[in-house]
Amino acid sequence: MKIESPRWLREKDSGPIRIEHLADRILWQGRSPYQEILLAENARLGKYLLLDGDMQSCTGDAPFYHELLVHPGLLAHPQPRRVLVLGGGEGATLKEVLRHRCVQEVVMVERDPTVVKVCRDFAPEYHGGAFQDSRCRLIVGDAYHYLQEAQGYFDVIVGDLTAEPHGLDFKELYRLISSRLGLDGLYCAQLGSGNLHEEDRFLRHFRMLRKHWSVLCPMVQFVPSYHSLWCFLTASHGPDPARLTGPEVDQRLIERTITSLHAYDGEAHRRACHLPKHLRRALEHVREGTG
Ligand code: SPD
């Protein structure tokens, strides 16, 4: 199909608000066995990826999403060596994990090799060469299957998954993830919109997660390309990013020689841990068993 440029790309499921992204150029468009893939570019936003009409990430503001998804959990762990990334085909999550030099092995499990190939070939800004790092092992396959068969334990598991992909049974997924985490292990996830009246998905996942983990640390960050306040979370049986002060976060970043982040630092960490009132109240209800 010939694509006229520039053009507006409309997101499929943006609720009562219409979200459109201006594309100066379409870099790649096609269908994989799993989904409709569209990689576009805009002079101001950078390159961005839509899967089945849902914005995944944009190189212009990727740090707002990927840095908060990864670093609070990895910094809260005393020494993460073995990390598993579920999803994250763009490679940006992988890139953030690999910034921690103490990490010796990262396994990334992504079901759709076409997404990886398209981003690898046409949007290297996402991964910055991360797929070439000798610590990285990319497995094309299904997260459940991998978790069922995996050997040993992970220090951190990062779920860079679309929160409600068709057919993904999150109850079972969380059970499997909890069975593959080591003693101080953390699960890090993105859990969808935190906008007022859009928090249902976040709360539903929060309820499922608290069945497996006693320490949950919810965080929020505005992500410009989502036009939304976005929810993140770490889950564990001990390590808790919420207990880290801003200076402690900055100190740990220095100790791990992570000096070139764009969005995340001690102050951003504290801000992310301060939830808006509507989310605090909703979580209180969940904790009291009334919501
Ligand atoms: N990496 C998966 C994140 C998916 C986020 N979609 C956001 C859509 C905002 N309208």
Side-chain angles (χ1 to χ4, degrees):
M1 181 175 47
K2 184 170 170 0
I3 292 149
E4 300 300 329
S5 300
R7 59 173 280 200
W8 289 95
L9 304 174
R10 185 182 302 176
E11 283 206 43
K12 254 194 199 142
D13 300 314
S14 56
I17 296 171
R18 182 193 284 185
I19 299 181
E20 293 182 318
H21 309 275
L22 186 61
D24 298 326
R25 278 202 308 155
I26 304 294
L27 300 173
W28 202 91
Q29 183 174 28
R31 241 208 106 70
S32 76
Y34 300 98
Q35 54 208 336
E36 189 70 41
I37 302 168
L38 200 156
L39 183 71
E41 186 172 29
N42 174 277
R44 279 193 290 172
L45 301 172
K47 294 175 185 169
Y48 56 92
L49 176 71
L50 285 109
L51 296 180
D52 284 336
D54 180 47
M55 169 66 96
Q56 299 301 300
S57 59
C58 170
T59 58
D61 65 19
F64 286 108
Y65 173 88
H66 295 96
E67 291 182 7
L68 196 62
L69 175 65
V70 166
H71 298 302
L74 269 99
L75 290 181
H77 191 283
Q79 199 176 32
R81 291 199 170 115
R82 208 168 172 238
V83 177
L84 172 65
V85 174
L86 302 175
E90 309 98 314
T93 297
L94 183 64
K95 178 175 80 180
E96 296 305 327
V97 171
L98 289 166
R99 289 187 199 272
H100 296 253
R101 303 311 303 172
C102 50
V103 169
Q104 294 169 352
E105 182 191 8
V106 191
V107 179
M108 174 174 156
V109 181
E110 165 62 57
R111 68 176 181 155
D112 194 341
T114 314
V115 172
V116 176
K117 183 160 172 39
V118 167
C119 293
R120 222 171 158 158
D121 293 351
F122 298 99
E125 298 87 338
Y126 277 129
H127 55 81
F131 291 111
Q132 265 76 56
D133 192 303
S134 59
R135 295 173 291 162
C136 158
R137 189 154 57 94
L138 173 65
I139 293 177
V140 173
D142 171 70
Y144 296 94
H145 187 252
Y146 177 79
L147 286 160
Q148 277 158 353
E149 307 289 314
Q151 299 293 309
Y153 295 97
F154 292 93
D155 298 311
V156 177
I157 299 180
V158 185
D160 188 3
L161 299 160
T162 304
E164 303 288 300
H166 309 293
L168 206 49
D169 174 357
F170 274 96
K171 276 190 190 150
E172 176 61 2
L173 187 69
Y174 292 151
R175 190 189 68 73
L176 288 169
I177 289 172
S178 70
S179 74
R180 292 268 58 93
L181 276 175
L183 205 58
D184 281 329
L186 293 104
Y187 175 56
C188 309
Q190 67 91 12
L191 295 180
S193 173
N195 289 351
L196 186 62
H197 307 312
E198 285 181 10
E199 62 273 33
D200 278 16
R201 188 167 67 186
F202 167 62
L203 297 175
R204 200 163 56 246
H205 282 264
F206 192 92
R207 284 188 209 100
M208 286 190 263
L209 288 156
R210 67 200 288 268
K211 292 198 166 52
H212 296 285
W213 290 280
S214 52
V215 180
L216 299 183
C217 171
M219 292 166 283
V220 288
Q221 165 76 54
F222 184 77
V223 179
S225 56
Y226 298 172
H227 300 277
S228 292
L229 189 68
W230 212 249
C231 297
F232 299 83
L233 181 138
T234 68
S236 80
H237 290 298
D240 185 3
R243 294 213 188 125
L244 295 174
T245 65
E248 280 168 343
V249 166
D250 289 332
Q251 183 56 33
R252 288 188 189 196
L253 287 170
I254 291 168
E255 282 163 10
R256 297 210 186 158
T257 61
I258 299 173
T259 53
S260 54
L261 299 182
H262 297 282
Y264 181 77
D265 63 4
E267 197 168 330
H269 175 91
R270 290 313 317 161
R271 184 171 38 75
C273 290
H274 286 115
L275 303 192
K277 189 169 178 181
H278 69 279
L279 290 181
R280 279 184 276 127
R281 275 170 58 174
L283 289 180
E284 261 166 45
H285 289 309
V286 171
R287 287 186 176 113
E288 287 162 2
T290 55

